[in-house]
């Protein structure tokens, strides 16, 4: 009998420096591989926010994306999906940077993709 695992991984980050906050939700936290990995990021608007880097990294697989932000005009919520994520334990990292490339906020989460042959 196969057990379908489903969960929710939430990461809230305080700023590296400054007063901005960021929150990240990763769903599902556990699933059979290959399957999508959804990331929702909430960023407090700031004139200094210029880019968002989001990555999903495991021992044998990496996906990442960098999204330009338009400071205070940037959306407060950004939804991403990494499709067909293979088996592995993933660290999901979201980093907001300013115009000089300095980190303003960092959020971390975890997710697992389990091989179809495992129980």
């Amino acid at each position: 009998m196969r057990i379908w695992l489903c969960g929710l991984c939430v990461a809230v980050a305080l700023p590296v420096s400054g007063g901005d906050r960021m929150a990240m939700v990763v769903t599902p936290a556990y699933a059979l591989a290959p399957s999508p990995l959804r990331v929702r990021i909430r960023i407090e608007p700031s004139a200094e926010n210029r880019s968002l880097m989001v990555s999903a990294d495991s021992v044998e697989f990496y996906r990442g994306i960098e999204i330009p932000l338009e400071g205070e005009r940037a959306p407060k919520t950004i939804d991403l999906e990494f499709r067909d994520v293979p088996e592995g334990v993933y660290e999901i990292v979201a980093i907001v940077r300013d115009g000089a490339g300095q980190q303003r906020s960092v959020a971390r989460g975890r997710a697992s993709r389990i091989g179809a042959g495992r129980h």
Side-chain angles (χ1 to χ4, degrees):
M1 178 164 99
R2 288 188 184 167
I3 299 173
W4 288 87
L5 300 172
C6 185
L8 175 70
C9 180
V10 179
V12 177
L14 294 177
V16 174
S17 63
D20 294 334
R21 292 180 182 251
M22 177 170 48
M24 179 172 66
V25 177
V26 178
T27 58
Y30 301 95
L32 292 178
S35 64
L37 189 141
R38 293 175 196 85
V39 182
R40 174 172 276 187
I41 301 159
R42 169 105 175 49
I43 304 168
E44 289 297 319
S46 171
E48 296 182 26
N49 293 347
R50 292 293 168 219
S51 69
L52 170 66
M53 175 68 189
V54 182
S55 63
D57 192 10
S58 75
V59 172
E60 295 183 14
F61 188 80
Y62 173 87
R63 283 203 187 148
I65 184 169
E66 187 166 4
I67 300 168
L69 299 176
E70 296 181 19
E72 292 176 332
R73 295 184 308 235
K76 290 182 180 180
T77 303
I78 296 174
D79 291 314
L80 302 171
E81 180 176 282
F82 295 108
R83 295 183 181 169
D84 299 326
V85 174
E87 181 177 353
V89 176
Y90 290 85
E91 181 175 9
I92 297 80
V93 179
I95 301 171
V96 173
R97 298 181 195 257
D98 63 16
Q102 298 297 312
Q103 292 182 5
R104 294 185 44 79
S105 297
V106 178
R108 297 178 187 277
R110 292 183 89 63
S112 295
R113 295 298 175 263
I114 301 161
R118 294 189 182 181
H119 298 277

